[in-house]
């Protein structure tokens, strides 16, 4: 009975992840203000004209940490074509951990700490990490990702959005 229950739970979790990653009707990214570790402030409106990955993550999230090298590689390879990445650390993540992680890994993209939880709330009450949103040049969310995702499919979506 326990095995059946665990199997059902596993199926529900897999189905939820698949549904989360399915493309939905274009939804405009929320109008929020970000503040980087360096104090730079910008809004989602300022990102128009770029394809942007907004990634909610935490330093204690093993999947998040494992994905960072790919995030760095994608950013470095695509930034000259109009691609950007914003790494949004969750409100429970200690700021000194986030700063240390960003410095020690030499993250080349913008790193933000969501100290109040407003950003996570604005993007649909994000609670699980990693959760990422791919935003097109017009400011529409074209894809959301929860957990691991297929790298080739991700790059194909980004390249299509870049044009």
């Amino acid at each position: 009975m326990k095995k059946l229950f665990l199997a059902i739970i596993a199926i529900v979790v897999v189905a939820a992840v698949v549904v989360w990653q399915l493309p939905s009707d274009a939804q405009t990214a929320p109008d929020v203000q970000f503040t980087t570790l360096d104090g730079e402030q910008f809004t989602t409106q300022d990102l128009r004209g770029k394809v942007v990955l907004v990634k909610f993550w935490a330093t204690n999230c093993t999947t998040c940490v494992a994905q960072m090298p790919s995030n760095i590689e994608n950013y470095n390879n695509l930034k000259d074509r109009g691609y950007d990445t914003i790494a949004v650390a969750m409100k429970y993540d200690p700021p000194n951990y986030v700063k240390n992680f960003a410095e020690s890994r030499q993250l080349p993209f913008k790193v933000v700490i969501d100290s109040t939880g407003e950003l996570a709330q604005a993007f649909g009450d994000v609670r699980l990490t990693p959760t990422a949103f791919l935003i097109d040049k017009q400011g529409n969310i074209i894809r959301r990702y929860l957990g691991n995702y297929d790298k080739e499919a991700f790059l194909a979506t980004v390249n299509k959005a870049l044009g």
Side-chain angles (χ1 to χ4, degrees):
M1 187 65 151
K2 185 177 179 182
K3 286 184 181 182
L4 176 62
F5 177 74
L6 291 175
I8 291 171
I9 294 295
I11 290 169
V12 169
V13 168
V14 168
V17 168
V18 168
V19 168
W20 251 103
Q21 293 185 13
L22 288 176
S24 59
D25 292 332
Q27 176 184 351
T28 303
D31 190 15
V32 295
Q33 181 170 313
F34 300 94
T35 303
T36 68
L37 294 177
D38 299 328
E40 175 190 353
Q41 294 185 337
F42 59 96
T43 67
T44 44
Q45 293 293 321
D46 298 327
L47 301 172
R48 296 281 170 100
K50 291 183 176 183
V51 174
V52 182
L53 182 70
V54 176
K55 182 182 188 100
F56 289 86
W57 68 290
T59 57
N60 66 349
C61 165
T62 55
T63 302
C64 303
V65 171
Q67 288 178 345
M68 279 301 177
S70 289
N71 296 142
I72 292 168
E73 181 181 5
N74 292 338
Y75 174 80
N76 286 334
N77 290 340
L78 299 168
K79 66 182 177 185
D80 293 337
R81 292 182 51 209
Y83 176 78
D84 206 349
T85 301
I86 302 165
V88 181
M90 299 296 283
K91 73 176 183 177
Y92 56 79
D93 213 351
N96 58 323
Y97 286 24
V98 176
K99 290 175 185 172
N100 181 53
F101 186 94
E103 290 171 3
S104 66
R105 306 298 196 292
Q106 298 179 342
L107 299 183
F109 39 76
K110 296 172 179 72
V111 178
V112 172
I113 299 176
D114 186 13
S115 58
T116 64
E118 285 181 38
L119 298 173
Q121 188 66 40
F123 275 87
D125 197 20
V126 173
R127 294 176 189 230
L128 301 174
T129 57
T131 297
F133 298 86
L134 189 61
I135 302 170
D136 68 14
K137 294 177 183 181
Q138 292 75 41
N140 297 310
I141 296 171
I142 53 174
R143 185 78 75 156
R144 61 184 169 248
Y145 301 91
L146 177 63
N148 273 322
Y149 49 87
D150 183 272
K151 292 176 188 176
E152 289 180 21
F154 172 77
L155 287 174
T157 303
V158 170
N159 281 310
K160 182 177 178 184
L162 287 170

